[in-house]
């Protein structure tokens, strides 16, 4: 196992990509703090699955855009596990609309959770990771943060921002043994993408050289790589995991 | 006073790898003791642990010299 004895915090881990990453890290031996915002029942199911793998886990409710609850969540995680080796900033929402029609609160909500949340969680874990002189921060961006996407100005701006934040955190923290990398998933089958209509899905499928939508496990595999020693000589990078959609 | 300065000095010597004689009250962490911004953040973290106190980000930003650190610790004890 690649992550034996490691402690991880995964935000937005009750569903979709976050859930699969939490399970993927646990399968490699890590203990997991399963953060959720609203889906308590599903978060507890993830905790049970991780415990069934013989790892330690607990669910922690937190709105990642609120600095005080983020600080408490990180504190609780360090108290329970005695350390914190891996942070996966995965929590995210969409509120799609054309720019002309986008309301200010649709913009703010998405930026606050998808971008500010990454900043707040990163800030909260750096103290512990700096003391440990080691750490892995993995930010979940999106391929549309690289390519742009009509109807998603808020989401794209946030995900693009995450790439810049990844590079800056990587430069600030490298001397302390902390690496920061991002994953830019393409079209992955989750609750978030199920909301899209068939026409949009067909359009997207045509743009994917590997000719299929991704599975959350495709992202989890890369997250495990970035969390492990295998990726020790890379930092500040954004890995496109999108079936070749954007090159 | 002496005791606080002694403990602060030890942390600075350990962390920044400077000579004890260089750690004067008026010495600036960045200008005289070769610390970068991240070193200062870490020093403040160690002082918090050593003296079992919390230094807010706002207060931490005002700590630039050895004397600033010693005075801050003394004032909050």
């Amino acid at each position: 196992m690649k992550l034996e004895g490691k402690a991880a915090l995964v935000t937005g881990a009750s569903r979709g990509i976050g859930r699969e990453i939490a399970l993927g890290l646990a399968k490699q031996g890590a203990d997991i703090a399963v953060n959720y915002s609203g889906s308590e029942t599903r978060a507890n199911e993830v905790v049970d699955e991780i415990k069934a793998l013989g790892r330690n886990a607990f669910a922690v409710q937190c709105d990642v855009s609120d600095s005080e609850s983020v600080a408490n969540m990180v504190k609780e995680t360090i108290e329970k596990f005695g350390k914190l080796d891996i942070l996966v900033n995965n929590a995210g929402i969409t509120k799609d609309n054309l720019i002309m029609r986008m309301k200010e609160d649709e913009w703010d909500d998405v930026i606050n959770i998808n971008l500010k949340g990454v900043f707040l969680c990163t800030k909260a874990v750096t103290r512990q990771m700096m003391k440990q002189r080691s750490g892995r921060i993995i930010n979940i961006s999106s391929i549309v943060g690289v390519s742009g996407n009509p109807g998603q100005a808020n989401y794209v701006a946030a995900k693009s921002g995450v790439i810049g934040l990844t590079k800056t955190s990587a430069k600030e923290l490298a001397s302390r043994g902390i690496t920061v990398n991002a994953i830019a998933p393409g079209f992955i089958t989750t609750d978030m993408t199920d909301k899209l209509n068939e026409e949009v899905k067909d359009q997207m499928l045509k743009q994917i050289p590997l000719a299929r939508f991704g599975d959350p496990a495709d992202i989890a595999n890369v997250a495990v790589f970035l969390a492990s020693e295998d990726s020790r000589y890379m930092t500040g990078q954004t890995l496109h995991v999108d079936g070749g959609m954007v090159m | 006073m002496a005791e606080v300065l002694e403990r602060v000095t030890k942390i600075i010597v350990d962390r920044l790898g400077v000579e004890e004689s260089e750690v004067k009250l008026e010495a600036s962490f960045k200008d005289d003791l070769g610390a970068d911004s991240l070193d200062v953040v870490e020093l403040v973290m160690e002082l918090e642990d050593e003296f079992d106190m919390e230094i807010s980000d706002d207060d931490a930003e005002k700590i630039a010299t050895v004397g600033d650190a010693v005075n801050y610790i003394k004032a909050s004890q």
Side-chain angles (χ1 to χ4, degrees):
Chain A
M1 289 196 287
K2 290 177 189 283
L3 303 172
E4 189 110 56
K6 300 288 185 189
L9 166 61
V10 183
T11 68
S14 63
R15 298 187 284 167
I17 291 175
R19 174 183 188 280
E20 208 58 34
I21 290 175
L23 292 169
L25 298 176
K27 279 175 197 156
Q28 292 297 326
D31 293 332
I32 316 284
V34 175
N35 160 257
Y36 67 96
S37 166
S39 327
E40 187 179 2
T41 314
R42 296 184 71 172
N44 285 327
E45 286 167 15
V46 177
V47 167
D48 290 342
E49 279 194 57
I50 293 169
K51 285 186 173 163
L53 293 166
R55 310 312 334 164
N56 199 354
F58 69 99
V60 53
Q61 198 281 334
C62 168
D63 169 359
V64 294
S65 65
D66 179 76
S67 58
E68 207 178 313
S69 26
V70 168
N72 287 333
M73 168 173 73
V74 170
K75 196 167 158 226
E76 190 183 343
T77 305
I78 294 167
E79 274 168 13
K80 290 221 161 103
F81 295 152
K83 58 188 212 146
L84 182 52
D85 304 295
I86 302 157
L87 165 68
V88 182
N89 284 308
N90 165 77
I93 59 167
T94 53
K95 293 200 172 181
D96 297 352
N97 221 332
L98 293 171
I99 291 174
M100 276 185 67
R101 307 234 178 271
M102 188 173 288
K103 293 177 194 69
E104 200 175 331
D105 62 351
E106 291 173 333
W107 172 270
D108 288 343
D109 289 351
V110 170
I111 297 288
N112 281 339
I113 293 190
N114 297 13
L115 180 57
K116 183 184 171 190
V118 178
F119 160 68
L120 290 176
C121 292
T122 300
K123 179 177 157 116
V125 303
T126 44
R127 183 193 180 90
Q128 178 68 23
M129 289 185 179
M130 276 169 68
K131 277 191 187 172
Q132 293 173 188
R133 283 283 185 274
S134 74
R136 289 277 193 271
I137 299 175
I138 300 161
N139 297 328
I140 305 304
S141 175
S142 167
I143 205 64
V144 300
V146 180
S147 65
N149 200 27
Q152 291 199 301
N154 47 5
Y155 188 78
V156 167
K159 293 300 188 180
S160 226
V162 167
I163 293 174
L165 182 54
T166 300
K167 292 176 184 177
T168 295
S169 345
K171 286 187 175 177
E172 280 192 19
L173 299 170
S175 64
R176 267 58 179 177
I178 302 166
T179 69
V180 189
N181 290 291
I183 300 175
F187 193 106
I188 308 297
T189 310
T190 64
D191 291 352
M192 192 185 270
T193 51
D194 282 346
K195 287 189 289 191
L196 299 171
N197 66 42
E198 289 306 315
E199 195 188 338
V200 173
K201 286 186 195 174
D202 283 348
Q203 274 301 321
M204 295 192 100
L205 196 53
K206 283 185 194 139
Q207 296 166 31
I208 304 173
L210 287 178
R212 68 169 175 90
F213 294 138
D215 185 89
D218 294 326
I219 305 304
N221 291 338
V222 178
V224 166
F225 164 67
L226 289 177
S228 76
E229 270 299 291
D230 291 345
S231 65
R232 66 188 175 192
Y233 196 54
M234 54 186 290
T235 193
Q237 303 303 312
T238 300
L239 296 183
H240 297 188
V241 185
D242 63 351
M245 225 167 119
V246 175
M247 296 185 191
Chain B
M1 168 71 196
E3 194 231 7
V4 171
L5 177 60
E6 218 170 274
R7 286 159 72 188
V8 170
T9 303
K10 186 175 182 313
I11 288 176
I12 294 168
V13 168
D14 286 350
R15 170 61 62 195
L16 300 180
V18 293
E19 294 298 323
E20 208 174 311
S21 58
E22 294 175 77
V23 187
K24 301 184 182 105
L25 283 176
E26 65 275 15
S28 152
F29 293 117
K30 285 187 191 169
D31 298 335
D32 302 317
L33 301 173
D36 65 17
S37 310
L38 212 51
D39 289 326
V40 178
V41 171
E42 285 191 318
L43 268 176
V44 169
M45 275 164 36
E46 284 202 34
L47 294 174
E48 288 180 322
D49 290 343
E50 172 73 20
F51 294 94
D52 193 23
M53 59 196 291
E54 275 197 33
I55 305 175
S56 72
D57 288 349
D58 286 345
D59 287 338
E61 277 171 22
K62 291 179 199 134
I63 297 177
T65 66
V66 177
D68 292 342
V70 171
N71 289 334
Y72 183 89
I73 293 161
K74 275 167 43 191
S76 48
Q77 272 181 338

